[in-house]
Every structure is written in C-alpha cells, then in structure tokens.
Amino acid sequence: MSLACQKNSYLKEFTSRVKSCTASKLVQTTGCKKTTVEGFDVILEDTILFPEGGGQPDDRGMINGVKVLSVVRRGADAVHFVEQPFEVGVEVSVVVDWDRRWDHMQQHSGQHLVTAVVSKEFGFETTSWNLGERLSFIELGTPEMNADQMKQAEKIVNEKIRAAGPVYPTLFETKDDPGLASVRTRGLPDDHVGSVRVVTIEGIETNMCCGTHVSNLSHLQAIKLLAVEKGKKGRVNLVFVVGDRVLSYLSVCYERETVFTSLLKGHPDDHVKLLEKLQNSFKIAQKNSLTLLREVAKFEAEKFKASGEHDSVFVLHRKEGDNEFMNIIANELGNNDVTLFLTTGDEKGAGMFMLVGKPDNVTVLGPKIAELLDGKGAGKNGRFQGKANKMQKRTEAEALIRSHLSGGETAPSK
C-alpha cells in the first residue's frame, strides 16, 4: 500500500477516517533527558503524514487540531501518536506541518541527486545517509574524496537543478515485478507488504524509495556541498545542504562574519590572518602567565620558609593556579612536619585541591576533604589531589584537617 503523502507529496490537507485508536505511550528524548507521554496510537484509512523511513524523519501535523507527536510505520499502516483519543469511524481532517515537510523533501531529493552524480562520475556508492536538523551527510563507500571531486560534483548537481528535470514516483504491484530489476535499491524492510514505490529523476536515476520528494529538480533551488569528513572505517561523509537550507546557512555565515568583523576590527578577507595573529598573541601571553605563576608558587614557598612560622598546616588558595602551581609548592615544602592544603579555581565554585603530609594522615583525610568539597580525588605516598565543586567550603576543610591533627572529630559536615 502507498500512502497519500507518497502519491502526492505536495498535499497539505487531507480528509480521512479513523480505523483504530488504542492507548499507548511515547518516549521522547530532549537532549539527554527522556520523558514518557501518555496518549493514543491512531491509524487512519489513509494519511498525508509520512512515517519515518528511508533515512527521512517522520512528519509533524494535526488531526482535527490535535498535535501529532510521532508517525511510525507498522506494516502497511502509518501509526500517529496523539494525546487525545478519536472515535473509530469518525471523519477527520489531517494537516501537515508544511515547513518541516518541504525541508525534508528538498533534502531527500537532493540526496538522491548527489548520490546519482557521485556514483556516475567517480564510482562512489552511497552506503547510508543522515538527514540532520541543520546539516545532512551521505556516507560514501570510499576512503577518500578530494576537494576537486567535491567541486566537480557540486557543479554537476546544480547544472541538473537548472535543467529542471522531472521527479516522479512509480508503484509496482509486488516486489517480484520484473520492472524492478534495473532499479537501484538497498532492499526492502522485512515487514514490507503491498506495492513497491520507485522514485525516478528523469534521465539521471531510478531508485526504490518510500520518502517524500519534490516533483521537479528546479524545486531544489541549489545544493551546496560543504565538506568531506572522515566516516566509518574505509568511508567518508559528504556533508551538504539543499534549497532553503542553503539560504539559512548563508544568513548564519553572514551574521557570524559581521560579528567577527566587529570583534577583529578587520575586513572579512583578513579574518583568518587576524585570528592567527590573535592566537599567537594568546599563546605568548599564556606562556608568560605560566612562567609568572611558577615564580609565584616558588615565592609563596620561600616566604613560608623564611617566615619562621611553626604552624603545622600551610593553607593557600590561588584562583588562577593549576596542578603545576600546587605541585611546585608541594615539592618545595613537602615534608612530614607540615601538612599542605592547596586549592585553585573559583573561590565559591569548582576548582582543584591537593593535600600533602604524613601518609597516614593524608590517607584518612583525603577522601573526607573530597566529600566535604563535593569532589573526587585519589592519592598515594602522602599526596592526595582531585577536583571539587564547592570550594566555598575550604574553611571547613581546613578546620577538619586541624581537628584531625590535634586528635579531634573528623566527620565532614554535609
């Protein structure tokens, strides 16, 4: 069975009837967070909402004004997930999210065109593809594609777009139809039933595909091949944008260029040179800063030695310090007569810490200091160091150290 959206991908509204409606759940992922939505699986007699397949994400839209949150294929049916139930047999109005659909049509048809061109010109076969939210890529079965080949492919695909060749679907009754013998395909899903759909770009390629496509290459507007990136073993990913995404990408690039021009105070043609100059200046400044920091560490150690103080605990925090800063002080002062508690980073946030002293004391105190500062660490041979999230508790940590050394209570406060 072929859905209405596969017969005519330009349909924006459609009337159908509800075949079934069953209680269901949908797991949605936003970033790293997963949430479960209670709702209903609705199957219609036919639909213009495309279910995910062929590398193309599913459509969004409305059924009688109710948002469709997901569309998946189940055999010959498209299953729509909604949060409200529908009565079986009732007539419903289906509306597609056209902006999303149009974008997917452009990217998918563009992928077919690029795949056909790089196969014919260079013998690079497409092994898979990904339709991303901003950028898409085609995985090619070759370990290398050079800049000249990418430039040539881009030139040819845009010539094909200007030639405005027709794109159209053809339905074959069964998968055994002899007409499918010459069709490019990577096979059908195991649960496929009914007719087989083939998409033809006239004079360029014929490919088995279930997705939604433009009806003419001119509707792609333009294709920009952006980069060739390393893919899986022995393969590369050809990154591209099609149609409206080319315009969006250009707008973002121009806005970014304008910001760089303001920040760097130079013409766009000089941005790379100015950034390299800035980077070199930063490296020199960073090197000088590290040199000064080392000198400060040695100065702090020498100052303590020269002071003649006999405090059993040496405490120091340096916001801009690092591991090397703490290690220099530890190496200068590290002996069993003084316990060192050194910290760096944000005074009231995250940072690093180091505890140096008699091995028995450090073994006991190290994990407790880490717990008190909401951090983690490890150590051996009288030296414990780690990262922490609550440097504002340094005073409590110092009190814990002094209490332990004097034989008092050592339990950290929560």
Side-chain angles (χ1 to χ4, degrees):
M1 177 181 175
S2 185
L3 302 172
C5 58
Q6 296 170 313
K7 296 173 183 174
N8 182 358
S9 298
Y10 288 79
L11 290 174
K12 298 179 182 179
E13 298 182 10
F14 189 72
T15 300
S16 187
R17 289 187 180 277
V18 178
K19 283 175 59 178
S20 68
C21 179
T22 56
S24 184
K25 295 179 180 180
L26 175 68
V27 178
Q28 293 184 315
T29 303
T30 304
C32 298
K33 187 178 180 181
K34 290 186 177 181
T35 55
T36 300
V37 180
E38 301 279 347
F40 302 86
D41 283 342
V42 176
I43 297 176
L44 306 178
E45 291 180 353
D46 203 349
T47 185
I48 57 169
L49 299 186
F50 176 74
E52 182 179 9
Q56 180 178 323
D58 56 340
D59 279 337
R60 294 290 181 269
M62 300 273 195
I63 300 178
N64 277 6
V66 177
K67 285 185 178 180
V68 176
L69 304 182
S70 168
V71 191
V72 297
R73 187 181 62 81
R74 192 176 297 161
D77 293 317
V79 182
H80 311 70
F81 183 87
V82 294
E83 294 183 88
Q84 296 180 28
F86 287 92
E87 183 181 343
V88 174
V90 70
E91 187 176 85
V92 292
S93 173
V94 185
V95 179
V96 68
D97 178 342
W98 180 248
D99 288 343
R100 178 181 172 94
R101 158 68 68 75
W102 177 244
D103 175 56
H104 290 175
M105 287 166 63
Q106 287 189 318
Q107 307 317 306
H108 201 163
S109 297
Q111 176 265 313
H112 276 227
L113 179 58
V114 175
T115 286
V117 168
V118 298
S119 174
K120 180 181 179 182
E121 296 297 321
F122 314 116
F124 300 159
E125 297 303 321
T126 293
T127 51
S128 68
W129 82 293
N130 175 267
L131 200 168
E133 290 186 7
R134 289 184 61 251
L135 306 176
S136 301
F137 69 82
I138 299 169
E139 183 187 75
L140 300 174
T142 177
E144 183 180 11
M145 182 180 190
N146 62 45
D148 288 340
Q149 289 171 324
M150 185 175 76
K151 186 176 180 179
Q152 184 181 348
E154 181 177 281
K155 180 175 181 290
I156 294 172
V157 295
N158 282 290
E159 286 174 350
K160 301 294 185 185
I161 291 171
R162 291 192 293 273
V167 182
Y168 53 87
T170 303
L171 293 178
F172 292 85
E173 290 302 317
T174 70
K175 62 181 180 180
D176 299 319
D177 193 302
L180 292 171
S182 61
V183 173
R184 182 171 66 84
T185 177
R186 286 185 293 154
L188 290 165
D190 293 336
D191 63 345
H192 177 83
V193 293
S195 58
V196 177
R197 182 171 176 266
V198 168
V199 174
T200 298
I201 304 178
E202 193 169 276
I204 297 175
E205 77 143 15
T206 300
N207 179 28
M208 191 181 297
C209 182
C210 64
T212 57
H213 289 273
V214 298
S215 61
N216 191 286
L217 288 182
S218 63
H219 294 182
L220 299 182
Q221 299 167 275
I223 294 178
K224 177 61 184 173
L225 304 183
L226 295 169
V228 176
E229 299 176 347
K230 186 177 180 180
K232 296 176 183 177
K233 188 175 180 180
R235 299 173 185 177
V236 296
N237 295 332
L238 179 57
V239 184
F240 69 96
V241 286
V242 184
D244 290 349
R245 288 196 186 192
V246 176
L247 302 178
S248 298
Y249 193 84
L250 182 59
S251 293
V252 170
C253 289
Y254 180 75
E255 290 169 6
R256 188 179 295 131
E257 182 181 273
T258 302
V259 172
F260 284 163
T261 298
S262 175
L263 293 174
L264 297 172
K265 301 190 184 307
H267 191 273
D269 291 345
D270 298 325
H271 282 179
V272 173
K273 187 188 301 182
L274 290 169
L275 282 170
E276 287 175 345
K277 183 179 179 181
L278 189 64
Q279 189 177 45
N280 289 333
S281 298
F282 174 77
K283 287 179 180 178
I284 293 171
Q286 189 178 43
K287 184 178 180 180
N288 291 338
S289 176
L290 289 173
T291 299
L292 289 172
L293 200 58
R294 294 187 189 104
E295 292 177 359
V296 169
K298 291 180 180 179
F299 172 77
E300 292 287 358
E302 292 299 327
K303 185 173 73 170
F304 179 77
K305 289 178 184 178
S307 68
E309 295 179 9
H310 299 289
D311 194 342
S312 60
V313 181
F314 175 75
V315 179
L316 179 67
H317 177 81
R318 192 82 185 186
K319 183 177 181 179
E320 65 275 14
D322 57 9
N323 264 324
E324 185 178 4
F325 175 82
M326 294 189 292
N327 277 313
I328 290 173
I329 295 178
N331 292 335
E332 292 286 334
L333 298 179
N335 61 66
N336 291 336
D337 295 328
V338 180
T339 298
L340 310 179
F341 178 48
L342 310 172
T343 56
T344 65
D346 190 340
E347 291 93 339
K348 296 183 179 181
M352 297 183 290
F353 69 94
M354 179 182 289
L355 183 68
V356 183
K358 291 182 178 181
D360 289 347
N361 289 330
V362 172
T363 299
V364 173
L365 284 169
K368 292 180 179 180
I369 296 297
E371 182 183 356
L372 180 60
L373 298 179
D374 186 26
K376 293 182 179 180
K380 60 180 180 180
N381 302 326
R383 190 173 293 196
F384 188 100
Q385 63 189 94
K387 295 180 179 180
N389 297 310
K390 294 182 178 179
M391 299 307 291
Q392 65 268 31
K393 291 197 171 185
R394 297 189 319 278
T395 302
E396 295 175 47
E398 179 184 348
L400 176 62
I401 294 168
R402 294 186 183 279
S403 177
H404 175 81
L405 295 179
S406 64
E409 184 63 42
T410 62
S413 60
K414 299 292 184 180

